[in-house]
Amino acid sequence: MPAPGKRDRYHHGDLRAALIDTAIELVAERGVRNFSLAEASRRLGVAVSAPYAHFADRDDLLAAVAVRAYQVLHAELIPEMSRAQAPAHRLAGMARGYVRFAAAHRPLFEVLNEAGLDKGRHPEIEAAERPVTDAFMACVRALSGGDDALSEDLTTAIEATAHGHATLLLDSSSGPAPEAVELAADRAARATLALVESRHLLGQPTGPSVHGKPGTAHADP
């Protein structure tokens, strides 16, 4: 049971933040969907009815965790982006920062990717995501020259690259040791630069080329 002073602070406005912190702890221990509001209440030592003053249900609480996750992600991407002015290098920095975020804040990463929350019901998630999306898309558009199809292809390719490196890192049997994190982050950044450099190939067909060689895309010389 928490000390009386701690419970008093909850009752004077800190309970919402404490519930978010507790939800993050429970996600780390049991996964995104394997806890209840009642369990969070018991861990904090408050009545099981207390969370309902702040959250309608578990999804409401998870939405608040998702907002926290985007705030943390954006804060960690800012120094990565600030190191470069060129759009390609800013995107590489964002990929690097995304991998580091996944390693340092695994429960937040899991909530963003596994909770399956309805953004229509929780518009606060989209609002929290917007600074990240806006920064990312500004770089993509600068590299796409107004070509919407290229923008979409490049967005998908870079997101898949960053997310793939983060997921492979977290799934590694050795765990995200600091050197493994930095290696994965650097690989994601370098892969992003490679995608940008070869972006004109992203819209090319992957079937037989005009030269009859199967399984290769034909690029202009």
Side-chain angles (χ1 to χ4, degrees):
M1 295 285 288
K6 188 173 183 180
R7 290 189 62 170
D8 289 345
R9 290 203 305 276
Y10 297 152
H11 286 226
H12 286 87
D14 286 348
L15 179 57
R16 187 179 190 279
L19 285 165
I20 294 171
D21 291 340
T22 300
I24 294 169
E25 292 174 5
L26 290 167
V27 168
E29 294 169 14
R30 304 185 185 181
V32 173
R33 292 287 175 182
N34 298 321
F35 73 94
S36 65
L37 280 179
E39 187 173 8
S41 303
R42 288 192 294 270
R43 180 164 293 200
L44 286 171
V46 299
V48 294
S49 60
Y52 293 96
H54 301 280
F55 303 106
D57 53 27
R58 183 180 59 186
D59 276 4
D60 218 20
L61 175 55
L62 284 172
V65 175
V67 168
R68 170 85 64 84
Y70 278 121
Q71 290 169 342
V72 171
L73 174 59
H74 185 238
E76 296 197 0
L77 290 181
I78 288 173
E80 291 291 341
M81 292 186 292
S82 68
R83 293 190 179 98
Q85 292 298 318
H89 290 281
R90 287 171 68 84
L91 287 172
M94 293 184 78
R96 181 182 293 109
Y98 183 80
V99 172
R100 288 174 175 165
F101 163 80
H105 306 282
R106 184 167 186 162
L108 299 182
F109 177 81
E110 290 176 349
V111 168
L112 291 184
N113 291 287
E114 299 176 19
L117 297 167
D118 181 359
K119 292 183 181 180
R121 181 188 167 197
H122 300 288
E124 67 273 19
I125 299 175
E126 188 171 354
E129 182 184 12
R130 192 169 298 121
V132 176
T133 303
D134 287 351
F136 181 86
M137 291 308 301
C139 296
V140 169
R141 292 189 190 101
L143 292 165
S144 301
D147 185 330
D148 291 341
L150 178 56
S151 288
E152 184 175 353
D153 287 341
L154 187 57
T155 295
T156 300
I158 294 174
E159 287 178 348
T161 295
H163 185 73
H165 279 86
T167 301
L168 286 171
L169 173 68
L170 296 181
D171 287 346
S172 170
S173 59
S174 61
E179 55 274 17
V181 173
E182 289 309 304
L183 179 59
D186 186 59
R187 283 174 171 167
R190 286 187 282 113
T192 297
L193 290 174
L195 284 168
V196 170
E197 184 68 21
S198 60
R199 60 191 181 278
H200 62 287
L201 297 175
L202 292 173
Q204 295 287 334
T206 57
S209 75
V210 295
H211 300 296
K213 295 180 180 179
T216 59
H218 172 66
D220 293 332

